[in-house]
C-alpha cells in the first residue's frame, strides 16, 4: 500500500528561524511529489512540485524541497520563516492516484 | 484564468435535508476530486472522476453520499439525508494528467 507520512503534526518556530517539515512516502512505482499550504479558512494552494529533473525544487514564498529517492523523503525547508508562514502544510504523492499526508501545522512565533 | 469554483461557500441546514454542493473544474482538466476536511479526520478523498467517469468512490462514507459529473465542466456532491456528523469543509479539486491538483475555496457545511 502506498502512503504519505508527515511525522510532525505541529511545528512551533520563532520568526526568522529556519524550519524543516518532514515528509516520507512509500511507493513501489515512480511518483510525483507536491507540497501544499492551507491558510485558515482557505483551500489548499500548491507550494511546489517535483515531477522530474533536479531533486532540489524551489517553490513560492521562499520554500524549497529536496527529493531523496533512497530515503523516500521530500522534506520542505525554509531558511528564515515569517509570521505569515503560519499555516498547515500538506505533502502529497501522485502515483496511480493522489495520496495526502495528515498535515503539519507550522506556528511561527514573534 | 478562473480557478476551481465551488458553490455555495457556506451552507447551514437542518439534519434530514438534502444538501447539494457544486463544483466547476478548471477548463481542460480531466480529473476532478471531492475531499472532506474535518479537525478529527483531516483531509479525506471521497471520490474522483476521470473524463467524467467515477474512478474510485471508496472514500464515500455511505449511501447517503452521491456524486455526479454530467459533463466536463460541472460536478455535484449530494448528501441525502444529511446528518450533523456530515458537518465539514468540502473541497473540490481538478487536475490535468500527472499534474498537481488545483483546489477550490471549499464549502463550509454545517448540519444542525
Amino acid at each position: 500500500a502506498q502512503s504519505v507520512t508527515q511525522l510532525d503534526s505541529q511545528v512551533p518556530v520563532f520568526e526568522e528561524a529556519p524550519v524543516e517539515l518532514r515528509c516520507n512516502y512509500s511507493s513501489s512505482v515512480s511518483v510525483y511529489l507536491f507540497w501544499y499550504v492551507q491558510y485558515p479558512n482557505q483551500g489548499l494552494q500548491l507550494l511546489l512540485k517535483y515531477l522530474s529533473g533536479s531533486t532540489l525544487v524551489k517553490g513560492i514564498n521562499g520554500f524549497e524541497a529536496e527529493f531523496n529517492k533512497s530515503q523516500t523523503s521530500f522534506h520542505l525547508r525554509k531558511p528564515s520563516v515569517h509570521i505569515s508562514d503560519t499555516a498547515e502544510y500538506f505533502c502529497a504523492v501522485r502515483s496511480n492516484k493522489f495520496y495526502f499526508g495528515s498535515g503539519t501545522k507550522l506556528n511561527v512565533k514573534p | 484564468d478562473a480557478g476551481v469554483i465551488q458553490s455555495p461557500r457556506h451552507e447551514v441546514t437542518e439534519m434530514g435535508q438534502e444538501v447539494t454542493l457544486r463544483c466547476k473544474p478548471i477548463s481542460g482538466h480531466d480529473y476532478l476530486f471531492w475531499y472532506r476536511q474535518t479537525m478529527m479526520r483531516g483531509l479525506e478523498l471521497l471520490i474522483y472522476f476521470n473524463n467524467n467517469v467515477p474512478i474510485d468512490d471508496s472514500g464515500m462514507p455511505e449511501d447517503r453520499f452521491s456524486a455526479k459529473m454530467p459533463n466536463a465542466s460541472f460536478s455535484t456532491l449530494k448528501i441525502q439525508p444529511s446528518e450533523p456528523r456530515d458537518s465539514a469543509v468540502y473541497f473540490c479539486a481538478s487536475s490535468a494528467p500527472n499534474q498537481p491538483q488545483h483546489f477550490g475555496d471549499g464549502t463550509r457545511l454545517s448540519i444542525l
Side-chain angles (χ1 to χ4, degrees):
Chain A
Q2 299 176 11
S3 67
V4 181
T5 302
Q6 292 182 245
L7 291 169
D8 306 304
S9 59
Q10 297 193 48
V11 173
V13 63
F14 287 105
E15 193 174 20
E16 298 184 6
V19 71
E20 179 180 84
L21 306 183
R22 295 180 292 170
C23 174
N24 288 87
Y25 67 92
S26 62
S27 176
S28 58
V29 299
S30 297
V31 297
Y32 304 105
L33 298 157
F34 311 92
W35 275 98
Y36 288 83
V37 60
Q38 185 179 30
Y39 299 103
N41 300 315
Q42 295 187 26
L44 279 70
Q45 302 173 31
L46 182 67
L47 259 185
L48 50 79
K49 60 185 178 183
Y50 171 79
L51 303 180
S52 65
S54 173
T55 56
L56 184 62
V57 180
K58 294 188 183 298
I60 61 172
N61 300 341
F63 283 93
E64 63 181 32
E66 186 158 18
F67 170 53
N68 187 319
K69 188 175 181 179
S70 62
Q71 296 186 8
T72 59
S73 68
F74 191 55
H75 301 332
L76 180 70
R77 302 186 185 100
K78 186 168 182 177
S80 175
V81 294
H82 301 289
I83 297 288
S84 59
D85 293 324
T86 294
E88 190 161 16
Y89 293 79
F90 292 89
C91 181
V93 169
R94 183 169 194 167
S95 52
N96 59 327
K97 58 191 284 188
F98 256 97
Y99 300 88
F100 278 86
S102 55
T104 297
K105 292 183 179 175
L106 177 64
N107 184 16
V108 182
K109 304 175 181 180
Chain B
D1 282 343
V4 175
I5 300 172
Q6 290 187 248
S7 64
R9 288 297 311 275
H10 302 273
E11 174 137 1
V12 181
T13 191
E14 293 185 344
M15 65 178 293
Q17 298 297 306
E18 177 179 290
V19 172
T20 299
L21 311 181
R22 297 173 176 78
C23 176
K24 177 178 168 54
I26 292 173
S27 177
H29 283 187
D30 47 14
Y31 286 86
L32 184 140
F33 306 80
W34 281 103
Y35 289 89
R36 177 172 68 177
Q37 187 177 40
T38 60
M39 290 290 291
M40 291 297 294
R41 301 170 71 98
L43 193 65
E44 302 173 275
L45 176 65
L46 300 177
I47 184 172
Y48 78 94
F49 295 82
N50 182 22
N51 292 322
N52 313 337
V53 176
I55 302 300
D56 185 349
D57 65 354
S58 59
M60 296 285 263
E62 48 197 277
D63 292 345
R64 297 185 296 107
F65 286 69
S66 63
K68 294 182 180 179
M69 193 164 186
N71 56 63
S73 59
F74 184 66
S75 177
T76 59
L77 177 68
K78 283 190 178 180
I79 309 172
Q80 169 63 16
S82 58
E83 297 182 3
R85 60 193 169 119
D86 301 330
S87 297
V89 181
Y90 290 80
F91 288 104
C92 177
S94 70
S95 76
N98 299 325
Q99 292 299 316
Q101 295 180 23
H102 296 260
F103 283 76
D105 289 335
T107 295
R108 188 172 295 274
L109 178 64
S110 296
I111 308 297
L112 305 177

